[in-house]
Amino acid sequence: MAFTDWLKRNVTEARDTINAEISKFKSKDLLEAIVASSAMVAYADGQISSDEKQKLMGYLRSSEQLKHFDQNDVIKLFQKYVEKYEFDATIATGEVMAAVSKFKGKPQAQLVVRVCCAIGASDGDFDQTEKDVVRRMCAELELDATAFGL
């Protein structure tokens, strides 16, 4: 019995590892879109609060599709987009929109916008500048901004 238990455990662990890797592969573009757009919204008012970062990380930890990504890699990706904004906001916005536009016409587009709304509101003040950024994202994704309370 010990050998069969060992075999079952190893097969289960291997299956879980493979499923996590497949999930990462399938969800890489979604991770990029959510992190990039979150950075855009967080940076919209000129300062990124710890509440905004914590909201993003909390969402990513709870998402079935995205929880398999290493948090350090997510932080590096977020920082990469923040640095792009610090260098040139116009270029950074173009890169964010390129990442987001992959989901035009797909159900994940609404998810990207909803996460951005949550990021914008996470510090207690979803201000007009942040809302304008999310509206622009809605236009890029061909979504009705009023459906998101914008």
Side-chain angles (χ1 to χ4, degrees), residues 2 17 20 23 39 41 48 52 57 59 75 86 97 109 120 142-143 147:
T17 300
S23 179
V41 171
I48 299 172
E52 291 167 327
M57 295 308 290
Y59 170 72
I75 292 167
E86 290 170 347
M97 292 303 178
E142 298 176 351
L143 295 172

Side-chain angles (χ1 to χ4, degrees), residues 4 59 74 113 115 148:
T4 56
Y59 170 72
V74 172
V113 172
V115 170
F148 302 95

Side-chain angles (χ1 to χ4, degrees), residues 54-99:
Q54 289 174 9
K55 180 64 102 176
L56 173 62
M57 295 308 290
Y59 170 72
L60 295 175
R61 279 191 299 271
S62 68
S63 167
E64 283 301 315
Q65 282 184 293
L66 303 174
K67 69 181 179 183
H68 302 290
F69 288 96
D70 183 280
Q71 288 187 5
N72 291 322
D73 293 339
V74 172
I75 292 167
K76 287 177 189 172
L77 182 60
F78 184 82
Q79 190 60 37
K80 176 182 100 171
Y81 278 98
V82 169
E83 288 171 5
K84 288 175 188 276
Y85 273 96
E86 290 170 347
F87 177 72
D88 187 300
T90 303
I91 293 170
T93 298
E95 291 189 22
V96 169
M97 292 303 178

Side-chain angles (χ1 to χ4, degrees), residues 37-49 52 116-137 150:
S37 60
S38 295
M40 184 170 84
V41 171
Y43 199 79
D45 61 3
Q47 58 184 355
I48 299 172
S49 74
E52 291 167 327
C116 286
C117 289
I119 298 298
S122 66
D123 60 2
D125 181 26
F126 192 15
D127 66 38
Q128 197 58 45
T129 308
E130 292 168 326
K131 288 179 182 180
D132 289 345
V133 166
V134 180
R135 276 191 207 93
R136 184 173 180 185
M137 198 176 311
L150 302 169

